[in-house]
CSV table of all heavy atoms in Angstrom, one decimal:
chain,number,residue,atom,x,y,z
P,44,GLU,N,94.9,118.7,115.1
P,44,GLU,CA,93.7,119.2,114.4
P,44,GLU,C,93.9,119.3,112.9
P,44,GLU,O,95.1,119.2,112.4
P,44,GLU,CB,93.3,120.6,115.0
P,44,GLU,CG,94.3,121.7,114.7
P,44,GLU,CD,93.7,123.0,114.4
P,44,GLU,OE1,92.8,123.2,113.6
P,44,GLU,OE2,94.2,124.0,115.1
P,45,SER,N,92.9,119.6,112.1
P,45,SER,CA,93.0,119.6,110.7
P,45,SER,C,92.5,120.9,110.0
P,45,SER,O,92.8,121.1,108.8
P,45,SER,CB,92.3,118.4,110.1
P,45,SER,OG,91.0,118.3,110.6
P,46,THR,N,91.9,121.8,110.8
P,46,THR,CA,91.6,123.1,110.2
P,46,THR,C,92.8,123.9,109.8
P,46,THR,O,92.9,124.6,108.9
P,46,THR,CB,90.7,124.0,111.1
P,46,THR,OG1,89.4,123.4,111.2
P,46,THR,CG2,90.4,125.4,110.5
P,47,ILE,N,93.9,123.6,110.6
P,47,ILE,CA,95.2,124.2,110.3
P,47,ILE,C,95.7,123.8,108.9
P,47,ILE,O,96.4,124.5,108.3
P,47,ILE,CB,96.2,123.9,111.5
P,47,ILE,CG1,97.4,124.7,111.4
P,47,ILE,CG2,96.5,122.4,111.5
P,47,ILE,CD1,98.3,124.5,112.7
P,48,ILE,N,95.3,122.5,108.5
P,48,ILE,CA,95.7,122.0,107.2
P,48,ILE,C,94.8,122.6,106.1
P,48,ILE,O,95.3,123.1,105.1
P,48,ILE,CB,95.6,120.5,107.2
P,48,ILE,CG1,96.4,119.8,108.3
P,48,ILE,CG2,95.9,119.9,105.8
P,48,ILE,CD1,96.2,118.3,108.5
P,50,HIS,N,92.5,125.2,106.3
P,50,HIS,CA,92.2,126.7,106.3
P,50,HIS,C,93.3,127.5,106.8
P,50,HIS,O,93.2,128.7,106.8
P,50,HIS,CB,90.9,127.0,107.0
P,50,HIS,CG,89.7,126.4,106.4
P,50,HIS,ND1,89.4,125.1,106.4
P,50,HIS,CD2,88.7,127.1,105.6
P,50,HIS,CE1,88.2,124.9,105.7
P,50,HIS,NE2,87.8,126.1,105.3
P,51,GLY,N,94.4,126.9,107.4
P,51,GLY,CA,95.4,127.7,108.1
P,51,GLY,C,96.6,127.9,107.4
P,51,GLY,O,97.4,128.8,107.7
P,52,MET,N,96.9,127.1,106.4
P,52,MET,CA,98.2,127.2,105.6
P,52,MET,C,98.0,126.8,104.2
P,52,MET,O,97.1,126.0,103.8
P,52,MET,CB,99.2,126.2,106.2
P,52,MET,CG,99.7,126.5,107.6
P,52,MET,SD,100.9,125.3,108.1
P,52,MET,CE,101.1,125.8,109.8
P,106,LYS,N,84.9,123.9,107.2
P,106,LYS,CA,85.6,124.2,108.4
P,106,LYS,C,84.6,123.8,109.5
P,106,LYS,O,83.6,124.5,109.7
P,106,LYS,CB,86.0,125.6,108.5
P,106,LYS,CG,86.6,126.1,109.8
P,106,LYS,CD,86.9,127.6,109.8
P,106,LYS,CE,87.1,128.2,111.2
P,106,LYS,NZ,87.3,129.6,111.2
P,108,SER,N,83.1,123.6,112.8
P,108,SER,CA,83.0,124.0,114.2
P,108,SER,C,81.9,123.1,114.9
P,108,SER,O,81.2,122.3,114.2
P,108,SER,CB,82.6,125.5,114.3
P,108,SER,OG,82.8,125.9,115.7
P,124,THR,N,88.7,119.9,111.1
P,124,THR,CA,88.1,120.1,112.4
P,124,THR,C,88.9,121.2,113.2
P,124,THR,O,90.1,121.2,113.2
P,124,THR,CB,88.1,118.8,113.3
P,124,THR,OG1,89.4,118.2,113.2
P,124,THR,CG2,87.1,117.9,112.7
P,125,THR,N,88.2,122.2,113.8
P,125,THR,CA,88.8,123.3,114.6
P,125,THR,C,89.2,122.7,115.9
P,125,THR,O,89.0,121.5,116.2
P,125,THR,CB,87.7,124.4,114.8
P,125,THR,OG1,86.7,123.8,115.6
P,125,THR,CG2,87.2,125.0,113.6
P,126,VAL,N,89.8,123.6,116.7
P,126,VAL,CA,90.2,123.1,118.1
P,126,VAL,C,88.9,122.6,118.8
P,126,VAL,O,89.0,121.5,119.4
P,126,VAL,CB,90.8,124.3,118.8
P,126,VAL,CG1,91.0,124.0,120.3
P,126,VAL,CG2,92.2,124.6,118.2
P,127,ALA,N,87.8,123.3,118.7
P,127,ALA,CA,86.6,122.8,119.4
P,127,ALA,C,86.2,121.4,119.0
P,127,ALA,O,86.0,120.5,119.8
P,127,ALA,CB,85.5,123.8,119.2
P,128,THR,N,86.1,121.2,117.7
P,128,THR,CA,85.6,119.9,117.2
P,128,THR,C,86.7,118.8,117.4
P,128,THR,O,86.3,117.6,117.6
P,128,THR,CB,85.1,119.9,115.8
P,128,THR,OG1,86.0,120.7,115.0
P,128,THR,CG2,83.7,120.6,115.7
P,129,THR,N,87.9,119.2,117.2
P,129,THR,CA,89.0,118.2,117.5
P,129,THR,C,88.9,117.7,118.9
P,129,THR,O,89.1,116.5,119.2
P,129,THR,CB,90.4,118.7,117.1
P,129,THR,OG1,90.3,119.2,115.7
P,129,THR,CG2,91.4,117.7,117.2
P,143,THR,N,98.1,122.0,119.0
P,143,THR,CA,97.7,122.8,117.8
P,143,THR,C,98.7,124.0,117.8
P,143,THR,O,99.8,124.0,118.4
P,143,THR,CB,96.3,123.3,118.0
P,143,THR,OG1,95.9,124.1,116.8
P,143,THR,CG2,96.1,124.2,119.2
P,144,GLY,N,98.4,125.0,116.9
P,144,GLY,CA,99.2,126.2,116.8
P,144,GLY,C,98.7,127.2,117.8
P,144,GLY,O,99.2,127.4,118.9
P,145,GLY,N,97.6,127.8,117.4
P,145,GLY,CA,97.0,128.8,118.3
P,145,GLY,C,95.5,128.5,118.4
P,145,GLY,O,94.9,127.9,117.5
P,146,ILE,N,94.9,128.9,119.5
P,146,ILE,CA,93.4,128.6,119.7
P,146,ILE,C,92.7,129.8,119.1
P,146,ILE,O,93.2,130.9,118.9
P,146,ILE,CB,93.0,128.4,121.2
P,146,ILE,CG1,93.5,129.6,122.0
P,146,ILE,CG2,93.6,127.1,121.7
P,146,ILE,CD1,92.7,129.8,123.3
P,147,GLY,N,91.4,129.6,118.8
P,147,GLY,CA,90.5,130.7,118.5
P,147,GLY,C,90.2,131.4,119.8
P,147,GLY,O,90.4,130.9,120.9
P,148,GLY,N,89.7,132.6,119.7
P,148,GLY,CA,89.4,133.4,120.9
P,148,GLY,C,88.4,134.5,120.6
P,148,GLY,O,87.6,134.4,119.7
P,150,HIS,N,87.6,137.9,119.2
P,150,HIS,CA,88.1,138.8,118.1
P,150,HIS,C,88.1,140.3,118.6
P,150,HIS,O,87.3,140.7,119.4
P,150,HIS,CB,87.3,138.7,116.8
P,150,HIS,CG,87.8,137.5,116.0
P,150,HIS,ND1,88.8,137.6,115.1
P,150,HIS,CD2,87.4,136.2,116.0
P,150,HIS,CE1,89.0,136.4,114.6
P,150,HIS,NE2,88.2,135.5,115.1
P,158,ASP,N,81.9,138.1,118.0
P,158,ASP,CA,82.7,137.1,117.4
P,158,ASP,C,83.7,136.5,118.4
P,158,ASP,O,84.7,137.0,118.6
P,158,ASP,CB,83.4,137.5,116.1
P,158,ASP,CG,84.0,136.4,115.3
P,158,ASP,OD1,84.1,135.3,115.9
P,158,ASP,OD2,84.4,136.6,114.2
P,159,ILE,N,83.2,135.4,119.1
P,159,ILE,CA,84.0,134.7,120.1
P,159,ILE,C,84.1,133.2,119.7
P,159,ILE,O,83.0,132.6,119.5
P,159,ILE,CB,83.3,134.8,121.5
P,159,ILE,CG1,83.2,136.3,121.9
P,159,ILE,CG2,84.1,134.0,122.5
P,159,ILE,CD1,82.5,136.6,123.2
P,160,SER,N,85.2,132.7,119.5
P,160,SER,CA,85.4,131.3,119.0
P,160,SER,C,84.7,130.3,119.9
P,160,SER,O,84.9,130.4,121.2
P,160,SER,CB,86.9,131.0,118.8
P,160,SER,OG,87.0,129.6,118.4
P,161,ALA,N,84.1,129.3,119.3
P,161,ALA,CA,83.5,128.2,120.1
P,161,ALA,C,84.6,127.4,120.8
P,161,ALA,O,84.3,126.6,121.7
P,161,ALA,CB,82.8,127.3,119.1
P,162,ASP,N,85.9,127.6,120.4
P,162,ASP,CA,87.0,126.9,121.1
P,162,ASP,C,87.0,127.2,122.6
P,162,ASP,O,87.3,126.3,123.4
P,162,ASP,CB,88.4,127.4,120.6
P,162,ASP,CG,88.7,127.0,119.1
P,162,ASP,OD1,87.8,126.3,118.6
P,162,ASP,OD2,89.7,127.5,118.6
P,179,LYS,N,96.8,134.4,118.8
P,179,LYS,CA,97.4,135.5,117.9
P,179,LYS,C,96.8,136.8,118.3
P,179,LYS,O,95.7,136.9,118.7
P,179,LYS,CB,96.9,135.3,116.5
P,179,LYS,CG,97.6,134.1,115.9
P,179,LYS,CD,97.2,134.2,114.4
P,179,LYS,CE,97.5,132.9,113.9
P,179,LYS,NZ,96.5,131.9,114.5
P,181,ILE,N,95.8,138.8,116.3
P,181,ILE,CA,94.6,139.2,115.5
P,181,ILE,C,93.4,139.2,116.4
P,181,ILE,O,92.3,139.7,116.1
P,181,ILE,CB,94.4,138.3,114.3
P,181,ILE,CG1,94.2,136.8,114.7
P,181,ILE,CG2,95.6,138.4,113.3
P,181,ILE,CD1,93.8,135.9,113.5
P,182,LEU,N,93.6,138.5,117.6
P,182,LEU,CA,92.5,138.4,118.6
P,182,LEU,C,92.7,139.5,119.7
P,182,LEU,O,93.8,140.0,119.7
P,182,LEU,CB,92.5,137.0,119.2
P,182,LEU,CG,92.2,135.9,118.2
P,182,LEU,CD1,92.5,134.6,118.9
P,182,LEU,CD2,90.9,136.0,117.6
P,209,PHE,N,101.5,133.8,120.2
P,209,PHE,CA,101.7,133.0,118.9
P,209,PHE,C,103.0,133.4,118.3
P,209,PHE,O,104.0,132.7,118.6
P,209,PHE,CB,100.5,133.3,118.0
P,209,PHE,CG,100.3,132.4,116.9
P,209,PHE,CD1,99.7,131.1,117.1
P,209,PHE,CD2,100.8,132.6,115.6
P,209,PHE,CE1,99.5,130.2,116.1
P,209,PHE,CE2,100.6,131.7,114.6
P,209,PHE,CZ,100.0,130.5,114.8
P,210,TRP,N,103.1,134.3,117.4
P,210,TRP,CA,104.4,134.7,116.8
P,210,TRP,C,105.4,135.3,117.7
P,210,TRP,O,106.5,135.4,117.4
P,210,TRP,CB,104.2,135.6,115.6
P,210,TRP,CG,103.4,135.0,114.4
P,210,TRP,CD1,103.8,133.9,113.7
P,210,TRP,CD2,102.1,135.3,113.9
P,210,TRP,NE1,102.9,133.6,112.7
P,210,TRP,CE2,101.9,134.5,112.8
P,210,TRP,CE3,101.2,136.3,114.3
P,210,TRP,CZ2,100.7,134.6,112.1
P,210,TRP,CZ3,100.1,136.4,113.5
P,210,TRP,CH2,99.8,135.5,112.5
P,278,ARG,N,82.9,136.7,110.3
P,278,ARG,CA,82.5,135.4,110.8
P,278,ARG,C,83.5,134.4,110.5
P,278,ARG,O,84.7,134.6,110.7
P,278,ARG,CB,81.1,135.1,110.1
P,278,ARG,CG,80.1,136.2,110.4
P,278,ARG,CD,78.7,136.0,109.8
P,278,ARG,NE,78.1,134.8,110.4
P,278,ARG,CZ,77.5,133.9,109.7
P,278,ARG,NH1,77.4,133.9,108.4
P,278,ARG,NH2,76.9,132.9,110.3
P,279,LYS,N,83.1,133.2,110.1
P,279,LYS,CA,84.1,132.1,110.0
P,279,LYS,C,85.2,132.3,109.0
P,279,LYS,O,86.2,131.6,109.0
P,279,LYS,CB,83.4,130.7,109.9
P,279,LYS,CG,82.8,130.4,108.6
P,279,LYS,CD,81.9,129.2,108.7
P,279,LYS,CE,82.7,127.9,109.0
P,279,LYS,NZ,81.8,126.7,109.2
P,280,ALA,N,85.0,133.2,108.0
P,280,ALA,CA,86.0,133.4,107.0
P,280,ALA,C,87.1,134.3,107.5
P,280,ALA,O,88.1,134.5,106.9
P,280,ALA,CB,85.3,134.1,105.8
P,281,LEU,N,86.8,135.0,108.7
P,281,LEU,CA,87.8,136.0,109.1
P,281,LEU,C,89.2,135.5,109.5
P,281,LEU,O,90.2,136.0,109.0
P,281,LEU,CB,87.2,136.8,110.3
P,281,LEU,CG,88.0,137.9,110.9
P,281,LEU,CD1,88.3,139.0,109.8
P,281,LEU,CD2,87.3,138.6,112.1
P,282,THR,N,89.2,134.4,110.3
P,282,THR,CA,90.6,133.9,110.7
P,282,THR,C,91.4,133.5,109.5
P,282,THR,O,92.5,133.9,109.3
P,282,THR,CB,90.4,132.8,111.7
P,282,THR,OG1,89.8,133.3,112.9
P,282,THR,CG2,91.8,132.2,112.2
P,283,PRO,N,90.8,132.6,108.6
P,283,PRO,CA,91.6,132.3,107.4
P,283,PRO,C,92.0,133.5,106.5
P,283,PRO,O,93.2,133.5,106.0
P,283,PRO,CB,90.7,131.4,106.6
P,283,PRO,CG,89.7,130.8,107.6
P,283,PRO,CD,89.5,131.9,108.6
P,286,LEU,N,95.0,135.2,108.3
P,286,LEU,CA,96.2,134.4,108.3
P,286,LEU,C,96.8,134.6,106.9
P,286,LEU,O,98.1,134.7,106.8
P,286,LEU,CB,95.9,133.0,108.5
P,286,LEU,CG,95.5,132.6,110.0
P,286,LEU,CD1,95.2,131.2,110.1
P,286,LEU,CD2,96.7,133.0,110.9
P,301,ASN,N,104.9,129.9,112.1
P,301,ASN,CA,103.8,129.2,112.5
P,301,ASN,C,104.1,127.7,112.5
P,301,ASN,O,103.8,126.9,113.4
P,301,ASN,CB,102.7,129.4,111.4
P,301,ASN,CG,101.3,128.9,111.9
P,301,ASN,OD1,101.2,128.1,112.8
P,301,ASN,ND2,100.3,129.4,111.2
Z,429,LIG,N1,94.8,129.7,114.6
Z,429,LIG,C1,95.8,129.5,113.6
Z,429,LIG,N2,95.5,128.7,112.6
Z,429,LIG,C2,94.3,128.1,112.5
Z,429,LIG,C3,93.3,128.3,113.5
Z,429,LIG,C4,93.6,129.2,114.5
Z,429,LIG,O1,96.9,130.0,113.7
Z,429,LIG,O2,94.1,127.3,111.5
Z,429,LIG,C5,92.0,127.6,113.4
Z,429,LIG,C6,91.9,126.6,114.5
Z,429,LIG,O3,91.3,125.4,114.0
Z,429,LIG,C7,90.9,127.2,115.4
Z,429,LIG,C8,90.0,127.9,114.5
Z,429,LIG,O4,90.2,126.3,116.2
Z,429,LIG,O5,90.9,128.5,113.5
Z,429,LIG,C9,89.2,129.0,115.1
Z,429,LIG,O6,88.3,129.5,114.2
Z,429,LIG,P1,87.1,130.4,114.7
Z,429,LIG,O7,87.7,131.7,115.2
Z,429,LIG,O8,86.2,130.6,113.5
Z,429,LIG,O9,86.4,129.7,115.8
Side-chain angles (χ1 to χ4, degrees):
E44 66 145 311
S45 48
T46 292
I47 193 173
I48 302 172
H50 292 75
M52 292 183 188
K106 174 180 165 186
S108 190
T124 47
T125 63
V126 168
T128 44
T129 304
T143 183
I146 56 159
H150 278 272
D158 191 345
I159 301 174
S160 175
D162 293 353
K179 287 190 201 67
I181 60 175
L182 301 171
F209 198 79
W210 292 295
R278 305 179 68 224
K279 71 191 293 179
L281 182 58
T282 299
L286 290 178
N301 193 345

